[in-house]
Amino acid sequence: GTRFLHLFLKAADVSIPQEHLPDSYVRTEFSGNESIIDILICKPGRFLVYVENKTVSAEGLHQIDREYRDMVRVAASLRIPHDQMFPVFLTPGGQPPTSGNARPWLPVSYSDVAREFLTALPELQGRKIAFLVEDLVRQYKRWGGI
């Protein structure tokens, strides 16, 4: 379902009504006019989340400014209100971006995501999914320095 999307958004301090999540979609490596964003999460007319996931590579020249301009264009084409646009900057340590205007970006650490995902473990059905989530949480904690 939408449990992990809800938890990721909670880690990013993004408030989207629960009823808007079921029909949302996720795309990776989404190409805009000026950039490619790592993850796009969206429900047309409702909300748009852009996730820039920085693991080890540095930001490109004016990267986040280009990504933000693309986000504004995508939001306009999908009739998404400006206050329902959420640019998220996901990094191991949760540091803010440095390649442009960091103000609109929500810095999130892998540790933040791991903490939220851990809350779902007791609810998971099946050993395989629980193992995968535990492994992801373990990696996020290691990468996040906790």
Side-chain angles (χ1 to χ4, degrees):
T2 60
R3 181 73 174 138
F4 289 99
L5 174 56
H6 171 74
L7 292 171
F8 176 79
L9 295 173
K10 185 176 176 187
D13 200 24
V14 171
S15 289
I16 295 173
Q18 195 74 20
E19 63 269 12
H20 293 171
L21 299 182
D23 294 328
S24 60
Y25 64 89
V26 177
R27 293 201 35 207
T28 58
E29 299 297 319
F30 180 79
S31 293
N33 289 352
E34 300 181 65
S35 66
I36 298 173
I37 193 70
D38 293 316
I39 304 168
L40 174 144
I41 307 165
C42 167
K43 182 170 184 177
R46 297 293 184 179
F47 71 88
L48 175 62
V49 178
Y50 253 43
V51 180
E52 178 56 38
N53 182 28
K54 282 295 177 195
T55 53
V56 292
S57 63
E59 295 170 51
L61 185 63
H62 305 291
Q63 179 179 352
I64 64 160
D65 291 339
R66 289 183 283 113
E67 289 171 344
Y68 190 79
R69 287 190 300 266
D70 277 344
M71 181 182 195
V72 170
R73 282 190 283 272
V74 170
S77 72
L78 296 174
R79 300 175 324 279
I80 294 170
H82 192 77
D83 67 344
Q84 293 302 298
M85 293 175 16
F86 305 98
V88 174
F89 196 72
L90 177 63
T91 63
Q95 66 271 16
T98 59
S99 67
N101 181 8
R103 190 172 318 130
W105 291 84
L106 304 167
V108 179
S109 74
Y110 288 1
S111 303
D112 296 332
V113 175
R115 269 191 294 282
E116 291 302 329
F117 280 15
L118 274 174
T119 66
L121 281 177
E123 304 167 19
L124 296 178
Q125 302 294 319
R127 287 184 30 177
K128 190 181 256 185
I129 188 69
F131 174 78
L132 291 171
V133 171
E134 287 171 345
D135 188 53
L136 176 68
V137 166
R138 194 170 24 261
Q139 293 303 318
Y140 269 19
K141 283 182 171 182
R142 186 172 61 94
W143 292 333
I146 60 170

